Amino acid sequence: MVKLLIGHKGSGKTKQMIDLANDKVEESNGSVIFINKNHRLMYDLSHKIRVICMEDFEYITNSDEYIGFIYGIISSDHDIETMFIDSILKHADVTLGDLPEFIDRIKKISKNYDIEFVVSLSAEKEEMIGVDFTDCEILN
């Protein structure tokens, strides 16, 4: 399942995502991963959550490399239950134009590996042209 938190900057998506991640890790039997642009949120998240800061991986520069990075995370931990990706449009030069393929690819990863994805992005649904929202849940 892919869950999306959408809305413009300042609409509270990151705070909501932090709360969702902290709640999820308390009820989870598997690993919870939180991918963020920088180290800023590290202390807002439970110590049980694996926080990955994309600033540490500056050579991931497009959506293909980002998907490969996700596969690398999965290959290193077969117990991942949920993966949170905060502000995807600020990572690896992912653009609104990349979203249809990116969302389709994480839906396939979710199905193949039984991983729930929660992705936030600073855009409205109407701006996400070409995105197939089938099998996606909009959380806000």
Side-chain angles (χ1 to χ4, degrees), residues 67-131:
I67 291 293
F69 183 70
I70 289 172
Y71 276 116
I73 295 167
I74 293 168
S75 72
S76 71
D77 183 349
H78 298 283
D79 295 321
I80 297 173
E81 200 168 288
T82 308
M83 189 173 296
F84 291 86
I85 304 173
D86 187 36
S87 300
I88 185 59
L89 296 177
K90 294 181 181 177
H91 301 198
D93 296 324
V94 176
T95 66
L96 280 171
D98 298 324
L99 278 182
E101 182 181 356
F102 182 81
I103 298 295
D104 282 345
R105 290 172 81 180
I106 63 170
K107 285 194 288 189
K108 289 174 186 168
I109 294 169
S110 175
K111 184 177 180 182
N112 290 341
Y113 295 95
D114 195 29
I115 296 172
E116 176 183 53
F117 283 88
V118 181
V119 181
S120 74
L121 53 132
S122 293
E124 296 297 335
K125 189 174 181 180
E126 299 76 34
E127 296 175 273
M128 299 167 64
I129 298 167
V131 173

Side-chain angles (χ1 to χ4, degrees), residues 1 14 16 25 48 54 57 93 107 116 124:
M1 169 64 77
T14 297
Q16 187 176 355
V25 78
K48 299 175 189 173
M54 291 308 295
F57 302 95
D93 296 324
K107 285 194 288 189
E116 176 183 53
E124 296 297 335

Side-chain angles (χ1 to χ4, degrees), residues 7-29:
H8 285 291
K9 184 176 179 169
S11 60
K13 297 178 302 297
T14 297
K15 171 72 171 111
Q16 187 176 355
M17 189 168 245
I18 290 167
D19 292 342
L20 288 169
N22 285 331
D23 291 345
K24 178 61 85 174
V25 78
E26 293 306 320
E27 64 188 35
S28 179
N29 292 322

